[in-house]
Amino acid sequence: MAEANAGAGTATAAGPAEEVLAEAGLRLEVDGAVATVTLNRPERRNAMTFATWRGLAAIGRSLPEGVRVVVLRGAGPSFSAGIDLSMFSGEGEGFADGSDAAATDRFIAELQEGYTWLRRPEIVTVAAVHGHAIGGGFQLALACDIRVAADDVRFCMKEPALGLVPDLTGTKPLVEIVGIGRALELCLTARTVHAEEAARLGLAEIVVPRDGLDAAVAELVASLLAVNPGAAVATKRLLWEAPQNTLEQQCAAERREQIGRLRELFGK
Ligand code: ACO
């Protein structure tokens, strides 16, 4: 299953093939219930290529079953400088140019898969963000359940300044977190949000000094793993449903999830 889904090459026990990860500029470490995905092109500030997004999707498809928490982090001075700008100058694989709308739609949907799996209820995803998180990098942080930021963090939604829209799943969480007015202001000015404002806006749940980021993430992960696994899955499902549901629907969802919990706890 993992092999079939992980892309070209032979899948390792813990995910996609090493060559798929290397081409994607990603590192994957699985340690029991915790998987750590590192954006690993520090010399390019972890700029992302199509291979990066496909690699992320491959990790999502082949994640070992016992993994409960996934941490995303960046190697070097920045979390990610967003899309690799060399792709605009025609180096490497070209863009779908939009002339075939259906093909472009499929192309972007495939790249978005690199982000959407982070919302699966079976895992809790944590972005450990430091330095720049620009464009696709900002959207990757937004795709995670929880963001822990270093005090040197700089979020920026750069796409509109480049004539594009943010299309890596980021617009929905951005609006849900900061509201439409602030989301418009951030996107249409492409301005940078620093740590203090990020905390105030709810773009980061936790902000710590740069040299305390790893320890803060480790502490959070330990707390997340201390919770009953079934309760964690059910609660994540419930909370992510809440914004779309009416109160009535949400009450029904709470009852449904609790029945599942009670059955498991009391062995019925
Ligand atoms: N694509 C390709 N290469 C990049 C990118 C990128 N997005 N970002 C940085 N690099 C490269 C630089 O070209 C440089 O390469 P070099 O050493 O061969 O000259 C190296 O990474 C280091 O970059 P510096 O600019 O020297 O690093 P610094 O820490 O001073 O600045 C910063 C980092 C702010 C991220 C800056 O590099 C930058 O603004 N990058 C472009 C960000 C951007 O516009 N991204 C697109 C977002 S839109 C989207 O994602 C869809």
Side-chain angles (χ1 to χ4, degrees):
M1 165 85 169
E3 191 169 350
N5 285 331
T10 308
T12 59
E18 287 301 336
E19 58 267 31
V20 171
L21 292 172
E23 195 203 344
L26 297 171
R27 202 168 67 228
L28 172 67
E29 289 148 298
V30 178
D31 180 10
V34 184
T36 302
V37 181
T38 303
L39 304 170
N40 196 29
R41 296 178 76 211
E43 72 289 354
R44 284 274 166 268
R45 300 298 181 263
N46 303 323
M48 299 160 141
T49 63
F50 299 132
T52 310
W53 295 316
R54 290 187 184 120
L56 286 169
I59 290 173
R61 284 194 295 266
S62 59
L63 206 62
E65 238 175 53
V67 169
R68 293 183 54 202
V69 177
V70 178
V71 176
L72 278 106
R73 57 190 292 281
S78 284
F79 181 71
S80 173
I83 194 168
D84 191 317
L85 294 171
S86 70
M87 296 200 297
F88 289 114
S89 56
E91 287 173 41
E93 182 186 350
F95 277 92
D97 65 7
S99 54
D100 181 339
T104 308
D105 185 87
R106 279 195 303 276
F107 179 76
I108 298 173
E110 185 196 351
L111 305 182
Q112 288 170 332
E113 269 181 51
Y115 288 51
T116 47
W117 65 273
L118 295 161
R119 284 292 162 79
R120 261 192 233 145
E122 293 75 24
I123 51 174
V124 181
T125 51
V126 177
V129 195
H130 72 286
H132 290 95
I134 304 177
F138 186 9
Q139 294 188 70
L140 186 61
L142 285 167
C144 291
D145 295 313
I146 302 171
R147 283 155 294 282
V148 184
D151 56 7
D152 68 346
V153 80
R154 290 176 175 84
F155 290 111
C156 172
M157 200 66 91
K158 187 79 174 284
E159 285 83 346
L162 300 176
L164 300 167
V165 297
D167 67 348
L168 291 166
T169 78
T171 55
K172 186 170 168 61
L174 183 65
V175 169
E176 285 170 352
I177 293 169
V178 304
I180 184 127
R182 181 62 67 194
L184 273 167
E185 185 260 328
L186 292 180
C187 292
L188 298 189
T189 63
R191 77 170 169 88
T192 297
V193 176
H194 293 255
E196 184 274 329
E197 186 183 11
R200 191 159 31 85
L201 293 177
L203 289 170
E205 278 67 38
I206 301 167
V207 176
V208 293
R210 172 69 188 93
D211 62 4
L213 184 61
D214 290 347
V217 170
E219 194 182 330
L220 173 65
V221 168
S223 302
L224 292 169
L225 291 177
V227 169
N228 174 293
V233 173
T235 305
K236 176 170 171 179
R237 196 162 42 220
L238 199 52
L239 293 177
W240 277 118
E241 269 181 54
Q244 285 78 45
N245 279 346
T246 62
L247 180 59
E248 204 174 57
Q249 288 167 332
Q250 189 65 11
C251 287
E254 289 178 359
R255 297 194 297 273
R256 193 170 58 243
E257 294 289 5
Q258 198 69 300
I259 289 166
R261 294 287 71 238
L262 293 167
R263 282 186 177 157
E264 188 185 298
L265 289 174
F266 298 105
K268 303 283 175 190

Coordinates of all heavy atoms in Angstrom, one line a residue, residues 121 227-241 250 257-258 261:
P121 N -8.0 13.5 10.8 CA -8.2 13.4 12.2 C -7.3 12.4 12.9 O -7.1 12.5 14.1 CB -9.7 12.9 12.3 CG -10.2 12.6 11.0 CD -9.2 13.1 10.0
V227 N -2.6 12.2 25.7 CA -4.0 12.2 25.6 C -4.5 10.8 25.0 O -3.8 10.3 24.1 CB -4.6 13.3 24.7 CG1 -6.1 13.2 24.4 CG2 -4.4 14.6 25.5
N228 N -5.6 10.3 25.5 CA -6.1 9.0 24.9 C -6.2 9.2 23.4 O -6.8 10.1 22.9 CB -7.5 8.8 25.5 CG -8.3 7.7 24.9 OD1 -8.6 7.7 23.7 ND2 -8.5 6.7 25.7
P229 N -5.6 8.2 22.6 CA -5.6 8.3 21.2 C -7.0 8.4 20.5 O -7.2 9.3 19.6 CB -4.9 7.0 20.7 CG -4.1 6.5 21.9 CD -4.9 7.0 23.1
G230 N -7.9 7.6 21.0 CA -9.2 7.7 20.4 C -9.9 9.0 20.6 O -10.6 9.5 19.8
A231 N -9.7 9.5 21.8 CA -10.4 10.8 22.2 C -9.7 11.9 21.3 O -10.4 12.8 20.9 CB -10.2 11.1 23.7
A232 N -8.4 11.8 21.1 CA -7.7 12.8 20.3 C -8.3 12.8 18.9 O -8.6 13.9 18.3 CB -6.2 12.5 20.2
V233 N -8.5 11.7 18.3 CA -9.0 11.6 16.9 C -10.4 12.1 16.8 O -10.8 13.0 16.0 CB -9.0 10.1 16.4 CG1 -9.7 10.0 15.0 CG2 -7.6 9.6 16.3
A234 N -11.3 11.7 17.8 CA -12.7 12.1 17.8 C -12.8 13.6 18.0 O -13.6 14.3 17.4 CB -13.5 11.3 18.8
T235 N -12.0 14.1 18.9 CA -12.0 15.6 19.2 C -11.6 16.4 18.1 O -12.2 17.4 17.7 CB -11.2 15.9 20.5 OG1 -11.7 15.0 21.6 CG2 -11.4 17.3 20.9
K236 N -10.5 16.0 17.4 CA -10.0 16.7 16.2 C -11.1 16.8 15.2 O -11.4 17.8 14.6 CB -8.7 16.2 15.6 CG -8.3 16.9 14.4 CD -6.9 16.5 13.9 CE -6.6 17.1 12.5 NZ -5.3 16.9 12.0
R237 N -11.7 15.6 14.9 CA -12.8 15.5 13.9 C -13.9 16.5 14.3 O -14.4 17.3 13.5 CB -13.3 14.1 13.9 CG -14.1 13.7 12.7 CD -14.2 12.3 12.5 NE -14.5 11.5 13.7 CZ -13.9 10.3 14.0 NH1 -13.0 9.8 13.1 NH2 -14.1 9.7 15.1
L238 N -14.3 16.5 15.5 CA -15.4 17.3 16.0 C -15.0 18.8 15.9 O -15.9 19.6 15.4 CB -15.6 17.0 17.5 CG -16.9 17.3 18.2 CD1 -18.1 16.8 17.5 CD2 -16.8 16.7 19.6
L239 N -13.9 19.2 16.3 CA -13.5 20.6 16.3 C -13.4 21.2 14.8 O -13.8 22.3 14.6 CB -12.2 20.9 17.0 CG -12.2 20.6 18.5 CD1 -10.8 20.8 19.2 CD2 -13.2 21.5 19.2
W240 N -12.9 20.4 13.9 CA -12.8 20.8 12.5 C -14.1 20.9 11.9 O -14.3 21.7 10.9 CB -11.8 20.0 11.7 CG -10.4 20.4 12.0 CD1 -9.4 19.7 12.5 CD2 -9.8 21.7 11.6 NE1 -8.2 20.5 12.6 CE2 -8.5 21.7 12.1 CE3 -10.3 22.9 11.1 CZ2 -7.6 22.8 11.9 CZ3 -9.5 24.0 10.9 CH2 -8.1 23.9 11.3
E241 N -15.1 20.1 12.3 CA -16.4 20.2 11.8 C -17.2 21.4 12.3 O -18.1 21.9 11.6 CB -17.3 19.0 12.3 CG -17.3 17.8 11.5 CD -18.2 16.7 12.1 OE1 -19.4 17.0 12.4 OE2 -17.7 15.6 12.4
Q250 N -23.8 20.4 15.3 CA -22.7 20.2 16.1 C -23.0 19.5 17.4 O -22.3 18.6 17.8 CB -22.0 21.6 16.5 CG -20.6 21.4 17.1 CD -19.5 20.8 16.2 OE1 -19.7 20.6 15.0 NE2 -18.4 20.5 16.8
E257 N -20.0 11.3 18.5 CA -18.6 11.0 18.9 C -18.5 10.5 20.4 O -17.8 9.6 20.6 CB -17.7 12.3 18.8 CG -17.5 12.8 17.4 CD -16.6 11.9 16.5 OE1 -16.2 10.8 16.9 OE2 -16.4 12.3 15.4
Q258 N -19.4 11.0 21.2 CA -19.3 10.6 22.6 C -19.8 9.1 22.8 O -19.3 8.4 23.6 CB -20.2 11.5 23.5 CG -19.8 11.4 25.0 CD -18.5 12.0 25.3 OE1 -17.5 11.5 24.8 NE2 -18.4 13.0 26.1
R261 N -16.9 7.1 22.0 CA -16.0 7.1 23.1 C -16.4 6.2 24.2 O -15.7 5.4 24.8 CB -15.8 8.5 23.7 CG -15.2 9.6 22.8 CD -13.7 9.4 22.6 NE -13.3 8.3 21.8 CZ -12.5 7.3 22.1 NH1 -12.0 7.3 23.3 NH2 -12.2 6.4 21.3

